[in-house]
Amino acid sequence: MEGGSGAVVTSDPRSPEGKEARLSSLPDLSERQQLQLDTFRDALFEHNKTTNLTAIRDLDGIERRLIRESVRLVRPLESVLPPEMGRRPRVLDIGTGGGLPGLVLAIALPDIDFTLLDATGKKIAFVQRVIDQIGLTNARTIHDRAEAIARDPALREAFDIAVARAVTSLPALIELGLPLVRLGGHLLLPKGTAIDDELREGKIAAATVGGRILHAAKLPEAGSGIATRLVMVKKTAPTSETYPRRAGLPSRSPLGRDSGKGHTGLP
Ligand code: SAH
């Protein structure tokens, strides 16, 4: 498989399994970045009391299951970027919600430009406020649907990588994400472990919209207690203008589902 699982599976020296881990012990982050992450975590915790930003409501859960899980994507993300691009890489977070994983990645990777997209106004307003508060200059927000921005010539095929966490099924994410990444670009999609059906549909979806699933490597436990897999998809051919289909259809009727009410994979 391309990329090799060695490049993808990150070991995590920060957190012996099950042990309490503080963000302040993360390596490779400056004091400023650590402070930015702490400010984000605290803001998410506070605003989640009044606005529904994430189902994880306790501070420890936010830190372990959201922020640390997002940090684990740093190395896989770097592994699919060519060493010399001649410009700043561009990454899109589809359905960033309260800023996951995109805001964490933007803090950890200041040399990459991040676009954080969400269809829910109050969530994207929160993310923009945090960006302003911590002075991030490499992240911007867009309040829209992926289906809509994929029709914008300035944004279609504009990204090197798209990520998405806890948004929709694998085939739907492939249909939403691949039109937005350039030829040779990638989707990085963290998922749970029970994804055999999604993987089967995802393969068909990828072939339909111009891509290939490279692998779905298991990520080592990072102290969150939750096993995850990272599905990596590469764009290997241009995407037909047919995709993504109109708003809502990619999730409601995923490509590759052959259950009668699903889509056959044909436009
Ligand atoms: N990634 C975040 C949020 C998950 S909730 C996290 O891990 O916590 C899913 C989010 O995806 C919601 O905020 C919803 O508004 C957004 N979303 C769902 N479908 C979308 C689409 N087609 N385009 C843009 N955002 C979408």
Side-chain angles (χ1 to χ4, degrees):
M1 287 190 191
E2 252 177 90
S5 55
V8 170
V9 178
T10 57
S11 70
D12 192 337
R14 300 180 287 265
S15 163
E17 269 179 35
K19 257 203 169 167
E20 192 73 24
R22 297 281 321 148
L23 284 181
S24 54
S25 65
L26 293 176
D28 305 330
L29 293 180
S30 69
E31 201 168 320
R32 176 176 156 82
Q33 288 169 310
Q34 290 169 15
L35 278 173
Q36 288 175 323
L37 279 181
D38 286 347
T39 303
F40 171 41
R41 176 199 58 195
D42 294 346
L44 195 54
F45 175 66
E46 284 304 322
H47 287 263
N48 206 34
K49 290 176 181 167
T50 49
T51 307
N52 183 23
L53 297 168
T54 168
I56 297 173
R57 306 207 165 267
D58 62 300
L59 199 57
D60 184 58
I62 289 174
E63 179 162 314
R64 286 163 178 251
R65 292 176 55 190
L66 298 179
I67 296 186
R68 296 177 60 77
E69 288 293 315
S70 299
V71 170
R72 291 206 299 172
L73 298 177
V74 165
R75 268 172 248 176
L77 193 148
E78 288 177 322
S79 78
V80 296
L81 287 173
E84 291 297 329
M85 291 190 67
R87 60 167 173 79
R88 290 168 65 85
R90 291 190 281 263
V91 176
L92 173 69
D93 184 10
I94 299 172
T96 192
L100 300 152
L103 197 46
V104 174
L105 294 171
I107 291 169
L109 295 164
D111 295 330
I112 296 178
D113 288 329
F114 284 84
T115 298
L116 312 179
L117 172 76
D118 204 283
T120 305
K122 63 181 184 182
K123 293 186 180 179
I124 217 70
F126 165 78
V127 173
Q128 186 59 55
R129 274 202 306 279
V130 176
I131 289 173
D132 296 339
Q133 189 187 347
I134 64 181
L136 265 194
T137 54
N138 63 322
R140 63 164 175 171
T141 55
I142 299 181
H143 173 208
D144 210 337
R145 295 188 65 96
E147 293 93 325
I149 72 161
R151 297 288 160 206
D152 180 342
L155 295 172
R156 193 175 178 95
E157 303 215 325
F159 298 93
D160 301 294
I161 298 171
V163 297
R165 179 192 175 277
V167 175
T168 182
S169 68
L170 193 58
L173 288 174
I174 289 172
E175 180 174 355
L176 294 173
L178 276 186
L180 287 155
V181 303
R182 65 165 166 82
L183 203 55
H186 293 80
L187 308 182
L188 264 58
L189 309 168
K191 280 274 169 190
T193 46
I195 54 166
D196 288 350
D197 287 347
E198 284 190 56
L199 273 176
R200 201 180 49 247
E201 295 168 359
K203 266 184 199 153
I204 299 171
T208 309
V209 298
R212 193 157 59 81
I213 296 178
L214 298 182
H215 43 69
K218 282 207 172 98
L219 290 175
E221 258 258 22
S224 68
I226 294 176
T228 48
R229 290 170 79 166
L230 181 62
V231 180
M232 201 177 274
V233 187
K234 182 170 185 173
K235 179 153 174 168
T236 52
T239 304
S240 152
E241 284 296 325
T242 312
Y243 303 106
R245 289 166 292 154
R246 67 184 155 77
L249 263 191
S251 290
R252 267 205 314 279
S253 181
L255 294 174
R257 185 159 301 175
D258 51 12
S259 64
K261 58 181 186 307
H263 193 266
T264 59
L266 298 169

